[in-house]
Amino acid sequence: MTAHPPVAAPRPRGRSRRAVTSFAAVSVLVSGAALTGCAEQRDSDVYTVMNSSTDETYHRWDAEAMARCGKRLGVTIEQQSVPAAQVMTKALRMASSKSLPDIVQFDASEMPTFADAGGLVDLRTLGLTTEDVPEGIVGFGSYKGTYYGAARSVNTLALFYNKDVLDEAGVQVPTTWDELRETAKKLTQGKRYGLALSAGGAEDGVFQFTPFMWSNGGDETDLDSPQVVGALDFWKALLQDGSLSKSTVNWTQADVNDQFMAGNAAMMINGPWQVETLNTKKSLHWEIAQIPVPETGAESVGPLGGAVLTVPNTGDAERERTAGRIVGCLAGEKEQLTYALNSWMVPANEKAAAKWRAEVPELDALADQVAAARSRTAKLGAGWSGVSLALQSAFQSALTGQSSEAALKRAQQRATSGN
């Protein structure tokens, strides 16, 4: 994943290890809290934002942004950071006790579940507009056409490569699956694998699979289609070639980055949340490119990752309006650009994104990838979590011996039945 800011360990920003909370549980807890007001008295000038910025640098950047917006709006904004995997469960507990914060930053893949249960306020009713936000990113923060979540920045995946290793081997950056497979073979030597990616049994692996599935014409609504099978077969081929480590079935995106930095992988699939760490190793000369596609001319479609700022439905209309103004400030063009330059993410606002491209031209390919990226929940909404769990199980089965077809047939059955 992931994106919202990475947690201290691991650091997935398109997708992280999140507990999947059942829709039924969300509905019961949220419906009991929404439109009933707050159980506790609140300071009228103090507003709380709950997020997953437990990493020291992200927590500091967010605190600075909140201080600026608080000064601008004449209120005090307090930050409450919890591990990414706990945001949903913490929000549910607070909903049940009618003590929800004024703003919750959800991972965009989780937001639809809370929205579907009636737990969020339509941001447009609070005065927020999407005038300078690309349609895909508006959809990223929407559920059933209603705009519930404002993204400050988004991310996606790209192909990172060690320029020195590719130059030494005399190979070009791959652009198609055939080229990727052949290049990965050539770069696999000794303890170094040609490619590293995450196929672990968590959302990290699913996040990394989507570019292969979508670029091959596959779809999350039909997991056992030939296109999805073909994408998983490609992963299997890389593993069978020896170009991927057998440990890939256990790796998170943070693990993948560790392997790349240690010189144990010549290329990796990963996201911009790793850039800060990559830049700490001055001897590592890395560059990025779009993720290779099945054949020349195909579009490289990656997943949109990140978080969205939401206003919970507490029944206190006045506080909700002010919370909306805070979201508008944090997600405004100026704050987006500052946040994106700090975090290496791509601003959601088109004007901020144009300035960002000029500031970090080395990540231009990432901005191009974002332009064609898709939200994981766009088609399935709250149903995404079931598909994700089914795919995670399929990876584990297929990459350890079962046929892709059989593994994905079982995944489709699980996704459909919910078992």
Side-chain angles (χ1 to χ4, degrees):
M1 38 213 155
T2 55
H4 41 312
V7 292
R11 309 182 93 195
R13 269 306 112 171
R15 292 336 10 276
S16 55
R17 291 182 178 274
R18 286 184 170 74
V20 176
T21 309
S22 75
F23 171 71
V26 175
S27 296
V28 170
L29 290 171
V30 174
S31 62
L35 301 176
T36 57
C38 304
E40 58 179 29
Q41 285 293 110
R42 304 194 189 201
D43 188 322
S44 60
D45 293 325
V46 178
Y47 289 77
T48 303
V49 178
M50 185 167 74
N51 59 24
S52 61
S53 299
T54 54
D55 181 271
E56 187 277 329
T57 53
Y58 281 85
H59 191 84
R60 173 166 43 83
W61 294 334
D62 278 342
E64 291 169 352
M66 291 175 197
R68 288 190 294 269
C69 286
K71 184 176 181 180
R72 198 173 306 160
L73 299 173
V75 297
T76 298
I77 307 172
E78 296 182 345
Q79 179 177 199
Q80 180 181 9
S81 299
V82 300
Q86 298 176 21
V87 171
M88 176 64 83
T89 52
K90 177 81 171 176
L92 289 174
R93 285 197 298 270
M94 297 176 84
S96 66
S97 62
K98 302 180 179 63
S99 59
L100 278 164
D102 298 287
I103 296 165
V104 178
Q105 181 171 284
F106 283 112
D107 182 84
S109 67
E110 293 183 332
M111 177 274 293
T113 302
F114 215 81
D116 198 278
L120 300 176
V121 178
D122 179 350
L123 294 181
R124 288 194 175 98
T125 67
L126 302 179
L128 275 78
T129 71
T130 57
E131 182 180 353
D132 296 318
V133 183
E135 184 178 346
I137 298 178
V138 173
F140 181 66
S142 300
Y143 178 63
K144 292 186 176 178
T146 300
Y147 185 56
Y148 291 111
R152 288 187 291 170
S153 65
V154 292
N155 62 64
T156 190
L157 295 167
L159 179 72
F160 287 69
Y161 60 93
N162 185 317
K163 188 176 185 302
D164 293 339
V165 171
L166 267 68
D167 286 349
E168 184 181 340
V171 297
Q172 299 296 312
V173 179
T175 60
T176 66
W177 284 6
D178 285 345
E179 291 175 1
L180 178 59
R181 186 175 180 184
E182 189 59 33
T183 300
K185 279 184 186 179
K186 288 182 179 178
L187 299 178
T188 299
Q189 295 182 12
K191 294 182 179 180
R192 186 187 70 207
Y193 291 92
L195 179 67
L197 55 79
S198 169
E203 185 71 14
D204 279 24
V206 180
F207 194 67
Q208 295 225 329
F209 183 65
T210 54
F212 296 89
M213 175 174 71
W214 289 337
S215 297
N216 201 39
D219 190 275
E220 54 269 37
T221 63
D222 189 8
L223 298 182
D224 55 352
S225 71
Q227 292 82 6
V228 183
V229 171
L232 188 50
D233 274 343
F234 181 68
W235 271 17
K236 288 192 69 168
L238 292 169
L239 190 64
Q240 290 161 358
D241 288 345
S243 299
L244 289 178
S245 168
K246 291 181 180 178
S247 297
T248 194
V249 295
N250 300 314
W251 283 347
T252 65
Q253 294 176 117
D255 296 328
V256 169
N257 193 58
D258 289 343
Q259 295 298 319
F260 183 72
M261 290 188 68
N264 297 329
M267 302 179 291
M268 70 170 176
I269 305 295
N270 227 314
W273 53 91
Q274 308 293 7
V275 170
E276 184 183 10
T277 304
L278 288 170
N279 284 344
T280 63
K281 188 171 182 178
K282 302 303 180 184
S283 61
L284 177 61
H285 302 133
W286 60 270
E287 293 186 1
I288 68 170
Q290 289 195 0
I291 296 174
V293 292
E295 57 187 21
T296 302
E299 186 173 43
S300 184
V301 184
L304 274 175
V308 291
L309 294 167
T310 69
V311 176
N313 182 357
T314 62
D316 188 332
E318 184 176 350
R319 287 191 72 92
E320 288 170 2
R321 282 193 293 272
T322 302
R325 293 172 64 208
I326 293 170
V327 170
C329 179
L330 292 173
E333 179 185 341
K334 184 176 180 180
E335 289 298 339
Q336 278 197 26
L337 182 59
T338 300
Y339 182 78
L341 289 173
N342 280 335
S343 64
W344 301 94
M345 305 299 177
V346 182
N349 179 287
E350 288 180 320
K351 292 179 180 177
K355 296 176 182 177
W356 179 88
R357 279 181 183 258
E359 292 277 351
V360 284
E362 65 270 31
L363 296 183
D364 201 51
L366 189 75
D368 291 337
Q369 189 91 55
V370 162
R374 284 174 49 184
S375 167
R376 287 160 286 164
T377 59
K379 290 191 174 184
L380 298 175
W384 170 260
S385 61
V387 166
S388 177
L389 287 172
L391 279 173
Q392 292 167 31
S393 179
F395 300 157
Q396 300 296 297
S397 297
L399 297 178
T400 55
Q402 191 176 34
S403 73
S404 298
E405 187 175 7
L408 288 168
K409 183 176 182 180
R410 172 58 180 151
Q412 180 61 32
Q413 291 171 344
R414 288 188 63 183
T416 302
S417 67
N419 295 319

